[in-house]
Amino acid sequence: MVDARTFLEALDRKAKMFAPTARAAFEANPGLCSWVLNPLARWAQDAYGERAFDDAARGYARYCLGVAKSQQIYEQAGKYTLQALPDVISEVYQDEGYMVPYMWAAILIYGFWPSMINHIALYRDEFVKALPANARVMELACGHGVLSLLAAEERADIRLEGLDISPPAVAVAHRLLAASGHASRVKFEVKDALSVEQKCAGGEYQGIIAAMLAEHLEDPKPLFRATSHHLAKDGLVFFSTAIESAQRDHIYEFNQESQALKLAEDAGLRVTRLVSDASAPLSGARFLPRAVAMILRRR
């Protein structure tokens, strides 16, 4: 029987440098981490076979090393070293060799990075469980689709639609979806999340997920406007982003949590809960990488 610890065992084999920190994060938060990783382990094995765990561990190691390198460059340059969005799309989001390992890592950080674990508590307890009955939910930039699948696992009454610009990412989402048993209530589509039609009256979604998306955009304002437009009066938004955290495809640089909060308020949304957690600070560093997550409602 595979479960969360199957991923930890794979890290011991294929990502030894990062295994102790991941194990410590898991042991400190076994319930939350298992909520994410136990179903994922089942879906991964059914979708990809036993090799999924070693592949995920290798992707996680590659991701962590890339983050460390990007943060070092950020410290030296004093700002994000921007790559044009069209180049990011072609060299990152449409490159299967890059995106599939990236997707595994983007899943595992929720269970293994201390700065992300409180996001899961907020997502599960104050978004998924708090959604209105029979809610219709849209996930913008769904990537691997696991957040939508976890919501479907938790709530048998809701329906979810996930959009992402990356064909390789959506291919991963489709394989996990087929293994999850939730295909009747969840669908994924290759589509630019910000091109979602806004000519309709709006207010059609009781839940919107925009997790770790804003930092990948040249300008996040349209994201908040689209979110506000499509959110129902009684709806909820789970929003998260990276603060002072450089990566190859991070384009928009947030330096304070208040910047994201103000963008939400300017778009007609109200922040009802906010968590922000930092990575371990480096001695002498001028930037403090952290991750912020918020629950938003209509004002």
Side-chain angles (χ1 to χ4, degrees):
M1 179 68 178
V2 297
D3 60 15
R5 294 185 182 276
T6 311
F7 287 110
L8 289 169
E9 292 164 2
L11 292 185
D12 288 334
R13 293 191 299 271
K14 301 297 181 181
K16 292 181 180 179
M17 179 187 305
F18 304 103
T21 302
R23 189 173 295 277
F26 178 83
E27 297 296 348
N29 304 275
L32 276 174
C33 296
S34 295
W35 185 78
V36 176
L37 298 177
N38 282 354
L40 175 62
R42 298 193 305 270
W43 302 334
Q45 184 179 56
D46 288 347
Y48 291 93
E50 293 293 338
R51 69 179 178 86
F53 302 100
D54 283 356
D55 287 349
R58 282 189 288 262
Y60 182 76
R62 177 179 170 183
Y63 182 91
C64 291
L65 288 170
V67 167
K69 180 180 179 181
S70 294
Q71 198 67 22
Q72 183 180 45
I73 294 170
Y74 180 35
E75 283 287 334
Q76 293 169 348
K79 61 181 181 179
Y80 283 3
T81 51
L82 299 181
Q83 189 173 3
L85 185 57
D87 294 336
V88 171
I89 291 171
S90 63
E91 297 174 15
V92 176
Y93 303 144
Q94 295 179 352
D95 180 352
E96 183 176 3
Y98 183 89
M99 280 301 294
V100 172
Y102 179 99
M103 284 296 98
W104 282 121
I107 300 168
L108 294 183
I109 63 172
Y110 281 104
F112 294 152
W113 279 17
S115 62
M116 297 297 293
I117 288 172
N118 283 332
H119 286 215
I120 286 299
L122 191 71
Y123 178 71
R124 182 190 67 183
D125 298 336
E126 300 193 43
F127 178 75
V128 175
K129 291 183 178 181
L131 287 168
N134 304 308
R136 184 183 177 193
V137 181
M138 176 169 61
E139 182 175 5
L140 302 172
C142 62
H144 43 64
V146 169
L147 290 180
S148 285
L149 294 175
L150 289 171
E153 185 88 350
E154 180 72 27
R155 292 280 301 270
D157 61 314
I158 63 175
R159 296 166 294 136
L160 302 105
E161 306 162 27
L163 312 176
D164 200 283
I165 201 170
S166 168
V170 174
V172 172
H174 278 144
R175 289 186 70 163
L176 295 176
L177 173 60
S180 74
H182 299 311
S184 64
R185 295 186 293 116
V186 181
K187 67 177 183 179
F188 298 116
E189 182 181 0
V190 177
K191 190 173 184 178
D192 184 346
L194 297 188
S195 72
V196 176
E197 181 61 58
Q198 293 192 45
K199 294 180 181 178
C200 62
E204 67 270 40
Y205 293 96
Q206 290 75 41
I208 296 178
I209 306 164
M212 308 308 284
L213 167 58
E215 70 274 20
H216 297 270
L217 305 173
E218 292 177 311
D219 178 5
K221 294 186 191 70
L223 167 63
F224 286 97
R225 288 197 297 266
T227 298
S228 181
H229 176 78
H230 291 288
L231 185 66
K233 289 183 179 180
D234 61 344
L236 297 171
V237 179
F238 177 81
F239 169 88
S240 62
T241 193
I243 310 285
E244 294 189 338
S245 178
Q247 291 186 35
R248 180 182 176 188
D249 56 343
H250 286 189
I251 295 173
Y252 193 87
E253 182 180 346
F254 288 104
N255 297 107
Q256 293 102 24
E257 287 77 356
S258 59
Q259 292 170 317
L261 189 152
K262 186 175 186 306
L263 287 172
E265 292 179 339
D266 288 347
L269 300 167
R270 175 181 288 123
V271 179
T272 60
R273 282 278 283 118
L274 183 150
V275 299
S276 181
D277 289 313
S279 303
L282 297 176
S283 178
R286 49 181 162 169
F287 301 110
L288 181 62
R290 52 208 190 274
V292 62
M294 298 184 284
I295 300 297
L296 308 174
R297 294 178 180 268
R298 292 187 69 90
R299 206 166 47 223

